[in-house]
Amino acid sequence: MLRFASLVALILALAMFLTGCNKGNKAAQSGAPETANLSAVDLYNAKNYPDALARAEQDALSAKGRDKEVAQLTAGLSAYALNRPALAQTYLEPLTGSNDIQIAGRAEAVLGQIADKRGNRQYAADLYKRASTKLEGDDSARASVRAGQSLTAMNKPAEAASQYRAAATQADSLSIKRTATKLGQPGPFTIQVAAFSTRASAEKKVLQMRPATIKAGMGSPRIVADTINGKPGFAVQVGMFADRATAESAKPKLGMGQYMVVSAN
């Protein structure tokens, strides 16, 4: 099942968009390994964030128009990937007023992540909602889901459900549609700790999680049928809760992990 707790999916979705801005880079097209010949965008797509940041900052000083905005966006995303949110904010905030709605939307989506990590849930939700109206397809859906998660954390289930329903209609991929649909359904709810393509992996996760779930008073984890990237799979879930807010508040009892509250199967 798709996980939204991480920024990775949203950032990686930027790769195609940014690459399209750099069609003239022969070194990147030929696969040449020399870092000196790679653009900031190529370096970012290669996950060489320090060099991407340095190159993008340099480009932003001399570029104009949309090229300058692409350099600023690349610098902001690279800074965020390097866990430098203040610097990322410096580059991304001016882009929220860009005439290119794709640039503005992606900047807002990452600024929403920064606000979320700082505990400013309402501002994060507002940024995500603005981003979802500017982005398209799965990117728009991801932003709507993030808005829903921020609203859920503020115990605003009705507003959160509206964002999840929007995500289900915005998404192109079936997996995101299904995830958004589940998130938008009424209770009861459960905590999903992981999803696997094989039952053996799911059973291993049950054994691993059982001590923590029993200690938290949620009983033993259970395995339920699920769909992963359009293929049959197995989810590991624990607990049963009447409302989403209660389920969300129970997640910390399980310790560190990418846990998701979903409608109970």
Side-chain angles (χ1 to χ4, degrees):
M1 174 169 291
L2 184 68
R3 298 180 178 87
F4 293 92
S6 152
L7 184 62
V8 172
L10 186 60
I11 288 181
L12 291 181
L14 183 63
M16 184 178 296
F17 164 73
L18 284 177
T19 302
C21 299
N22 195 49
K23 294 179 180 178
N25 191 305
K26 294 182 180 179
Q29 293 173 351
S30 64
E34 294 84 356
T35 299
N37 294 329
L38 297 180
S39 71
V41 169
D42 294 324
L43 290 166
Y44 176 84
N45 290 337
K47 300 183 180 181
N48 185 346
Y49 303 126
D51 287 345
L53 175 58
R55 190 69 50 81
E57 287 183 318
Q58 183 179 16
D59 292 345
L61 294 175
S62 57
K64 297 180 180 180
R66 187 171 184 275
D67 288 341
K68 183 179 183 70
E69 290 186 335
V70 170
Q72 291 173 318
L73 183 61
T74 308
L77 290 172
S78 299
Y80 185 84
L82 292 168
N83 196 28
R84 299 178 64 183
L87 180 60
Q89 196 170 0
T90 298
Y91 281 110
L92 296 175
E93 281 187 338
L95 298 178
T96 61
S98 172
N99 291 327
D100 188 315
I101 61 173
Q102 293 292 313
I103 289 178
R106 295 182 191 284
E108 287 167 342
V110 180
L111 287 168
Q113 284 284 325
I114 294 173
D116 242 341
K117 288 188 175 181
R118 291 174 176 170
N120 195 341
R121 305 293 189 187
Q122 185 61 63
Y123 185 44
D126 291 342
L127 284 166
Y128 291 141
K129 286 190 283 186
R130 283 161 50 186
S132 72
T133 65
K134 296 169 184 174
L135 301 174
E136 300 176 349
D138 289 347
D139 287 340
S140 178
R142 291 186 182 101
S144 291
V145 167
R146 289 187 182 278
Q149 290 177 321
S150 295
L151 291 164
T152 296
M154 292 186 289
N155 197 22
K156 296 183 177 181
E159 293 181 50
S162 176
Q163 291 300 309
Y164 294 138
R165 288 193 295 269
T169 62
Q170 294 159 344
D172 292 325
S173 67
L174 184 59
S175 61
I176 296 180
K177 282 182 181 292
R178 286 175 172 168
T179 296
T181 298
K182 280 188 176 183
L183 289 170
Q185 288 175 346
F189 296 94
T190 187
I191 300 173
Q192 183 156 307
V193 299
F196 303 94
S197 58
T198 67
R199 188 175 184 87
S201 295
E203 290 173 346
K204 183 177 180 180
K205 187 65 174 181
V206 167
L207 293 175
Q208 176 188 340
M209 291 295 301
R210 183 174 289 151
T213 62
I214 292 177
K215 182 179 180 180
M218 300 182 199
S220 181
R222 59 190 178 279
I223 298 173
V224 299
D226 198 2
T227 302
I228 305 173
N229 297 326
K231 298 181 180 180
F234 303 90
V236 178
Q237 299 176 349
V238 61
M240 198 68 67
F241 308 88
D243 57 79
R244 185 179 294 277
T246 303
E248 290 286 350
S249 65
K251 286 197 302 183
K253 297 178 181 178
L254 298 177
M256 298 295 292
Q258 301 294 330
Y259 307 134
M260 179 185 296
V261 173
V262 299
S263 180
N265 291 339

